[in-house]
């Protein structure tokens, strides 16, 4: 048996999220069904983590075991021939049998896309914000998120883990074309953390909160003091990091 690591991208618009569930079609289900067609038997994949319904990925990582002797580059071609057009395999490589796409992760990068003009072609891929935003205020607020903090104020109350301390290495607001891109790189993120941080920062940009309020929210450790949860379709799992 060989273990293969694949980096995949997907448009999450038509899916109920990454992980298999009974209430809708998922990314994992589609990939496993495709691999079963190739192998003539069920094949289980393990991903670096879950993404919710309508959330996208540019750099999701999965692994699976195979007895096939197909070179990795041909696995990419075969999968992309069989998969629907909204799921693409970017790369594939053979890794050591001990590699774990989920448990070996040492960091992730997420990006959140916001557009300030209507765009029919981007309606499912970025979030339209019609009101004016003060970008300098947003950047000042983002600076308070960098570092190691308890992010209880920026995750849903039902978050499974009791340890809500995470480290954000980098946080920046970029302009890409006519869109704003919120970029976060960190050790890991809690459930809905990125979307709540972005929703809060957008409220900073429109004047509902002051930039320094972000620091107060972190200290409060209370979801009720932070802003709204931004919609899912602006969010992308951009890159997953592993030890070299």
């Amino acid at each position: 048996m060989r273990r293969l690591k694949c980096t995949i991208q997907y448009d999450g618009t038509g899916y109920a999220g990454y992980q298999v569930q009974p209430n809708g079609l998922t990314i994992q289900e589609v990939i496993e069904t495709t691999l079963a067609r190739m192998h003539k038997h069920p094949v289980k994949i393990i991903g670096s983590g879950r993404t919710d319904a309508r959330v996208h990925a540019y750099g999701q990582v999965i692994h699976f075991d195979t007895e096939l002797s197909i070179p990795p580059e041909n696995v990419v071609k075969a999968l992309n021939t069989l998969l629907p057009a909204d799921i693409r395999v970017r790369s594939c490589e053979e890794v050591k049998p001990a590699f774990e796409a989920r448990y070996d992760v040492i960091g992730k990068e997420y990006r959140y896309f916001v557009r300030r003009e209507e765009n029919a072609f981007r309606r499912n891929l970025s979030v339209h914000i019609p009101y004016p935003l003060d970008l300098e205020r947003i950047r000042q607020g983002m600076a308070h998120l960098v570092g190691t903090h308890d992010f209880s104020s920026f995750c849903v109350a039902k978050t499974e883990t009791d340890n809500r301390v995470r480290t954000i290495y980098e946080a920046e607001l970029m302009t890409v074309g006519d869109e704003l891109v919120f970029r976060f790189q960190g050790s890991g993120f809690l459930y809905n953390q990125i979307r709540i941080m972005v929703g809060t920062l957008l409220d900073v940009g429109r004047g509902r909160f002051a930039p320094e309020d972000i620091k107060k929210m972190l200290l409060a450790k209370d979801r009720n003091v932070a802003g709204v949860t931004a919609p899912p379709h602006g969010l992308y799992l951009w890159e997953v990091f592993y030890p070299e």
Side-chain angles (χ1 to χ4, degrees), residues 25-236:
L25 186 67
T26 66
I27 302 295
Q28 180 182 0
E29 179 183 349
V30 171
I31 295 175
E32 288 183 345
T33 299
T34 302
L35 286 169
R37 289 176 61 188
M38 290 174 57
H39 288 77
K40 311 303 182 187
H41 62 74
V43 176
K44 177 76 172 178
I45 67 171
I46 303 295
S48 70
R50 295 175 288 183
T51 54
D52 287 339
R54 301 186 68 200
V55 173
H56 316 292
Y58 178 73
Q60 172 71 285
V61 175
I62 64 171
H63 82 254
F64 61 91
D65 295 328
T66 179
E67 72 278 9
L68 301 181
S69 58
I70 305 174
E73 60 271 20
N74 289 348
V75 172
V76 173
K77 295 176 183 177
L79 284 172
N80 284 339
T81 298
L82 297 172
L83 285 166
D86 52 7
I87 303 175
R88 298 286 88 186
V89 181
R90 292 176 50 203
S91 65
C92 179
E93 61 181 299
E94 186 167 350
V95 291
K96 295 179 180 179
F99 172 81
E100 289 284 344
R102 179 180 179 185
Y103 294 111
D104 290 350
V105 174
I106 59 172
K108 291 183 179 179
E109 179 174 318
Y110 283 88
R111 298 189 182 187
Y112 194 98
F113 287 72
V114 169
R115 68 184 189 281
R116 287 179 287 179
E117 296 181 1
E118 293 282 9
N119 186 323
F121 302 104
R122 294 284 293 169
R123 69 190 185 282
N124 294 319
L125 301 174
S126 62
V127 172
H128 177 227
I129 300 296
Y131 46 78
L133 294 170
D134 186 322
L135 303 190
E136 183 55 34
R137 285 171 58 91
I138 291 175
R139 290 188 173 98
Q140 291 172 8
M142 290 183 84
H144 293 296
L145 295 170
V146 177
T148 301
H149 308 285
D150 185 316
F151 284 96
S152 293
S153 295
F154 295 92
C155 68
V156 295
K158 65 178 182 179
T159 298
E160 296 174 356
T161 179
D162 292 329
N163 179 12
R164 299 179 179 183
V165 175
R166 297 292 186 273
T167 300
I168 294 182
Y169 306 127
E170 298 178 17
E172 68 171 327
L173 179 62
M174 307 183 296
T175 300
V176 178
D178 61 352
E179 293 187 340
L180 301 176
V181 183
F182 294 75
R183 186 181 75 88
F184 299 94
Q185 192 178 113
S187 60
F189 297 91
L190 299 164
Y191 184 55
N192 274 1
Q193 181 181 341
I194 302 292
R195 290 170 57 193
I196 295 170
M197 291 193 301
V198 170
T200 304
L201 290 167
L202 289 172
D203 280 344
V204 170
R206 67 190 300 187
R208 288 184 171 177
F209 297 122
E212 57 269 23
D213 286 340
I214 300 293
K215 187 175 182 179
K216 299 175 184 177
M217 293 172 189
L218 288 166
L219 294 173
K221 303 176 186 178
D222 180 358
R223 173 66 186 95
N224 294 314
V225 304
V228 299
T229 304
H233 60 282
L235 182 61
Y236 293 69

